[in-house]
Amino acid sequence: MSETTLNEYSFIAEFETTAEQVHDTAKSKGWWESDRCDGELIALAHSELSEMLEALRHMNPPSEHIPEFSGAEEEAADVVIRLMDMSQRRGWRLAEAIVAKMRFNAGREYKHGGKLF
């Protein structure tokens, strides 16, 4: 694997700092008074994707909570926030995994060897 670039280090550092803030907020709002099972956390992330789909099905109106963004943008942010929170709690290296997966994907065949979608 190639060496980590300065941009990748910056992304990882900023992502991790933000993930810590996300997790601290979730804890301060009572979401981590006891540990939560992985299935619950994955289902919650999935629910945000479903809400994103619903926003798109309804012509992607402005978000009710942050109206300077569309509903789909808000729900996409919620997906990332949920994953940051879970990864931070579990001690997972999500930012590093993103960088590694992007590198892997850059070397894959066109449409990953013929997949339709």
Side-chain angles (χ1 to χ4, degrees):
M1 186 172 286
S2 62
E3 290 187 37
T4 305
T5 67
L6 182 57
N7 283 343
E8 290 168 339
Y9 276 124
S10 295
F11 169 78
I12 292 166
E14 291 297 327
F15 190 98
E16 286 300 317
T17 297
T18 304
E20 287 174 18
Q21 293 170 347
V22 163
H23 187 60
D24 287 345
T25 297
K27 287 189 303 188
S28 76
K29 300 303 176 186
W31 294 114
W32 288 102
E33 290 175 347
S34 61
D35 202 18
R36 303 166 82 183
C37 76
D38 291 338
E40 173 189 355
L41 298 171
I42 291 166
L44 289 168
H46 184 274
S47 73
E48 303 298 352
L49 287 169
S50 294
E51 290 174 7
M52 185 177 174
L53 177 61
E54 285 302 305
L56 293 170
R57 288 182 68 217
H58 293 96
M59 308 296 282
N60 201 19
S63 161
E64 293 179 15
H65 301 111
I66 48 173
E68 64 271 27
F69 295 95
S70 71
E73 289 172 310
E74 177 191 7
E75 301 307 337
D78 282 341
V79 171
V80 174
I81 288 167
R82 293 269 188 201
L83 295 176
M84 286 177 142
D85 183 38
M86 180 181 187
S87 296
Q88 190 69 27
R89 179 64 175 218
R90 298 294 185 250
W92 296 345
R93 299 169 295 148
L94 182 56
E96 292 175 60
I98 289 169
V99 168
K101 187 63 180 192
M102 288 174 60
R103 283 186 189 164
F104 175 79
N105 285 345
R108 294 182 87 161
E109 297 176 47
Y110 181 77
K111 290 194 174 181
H112 299 180
K115 292 182 180 179
L116 294 178
F117 50 91

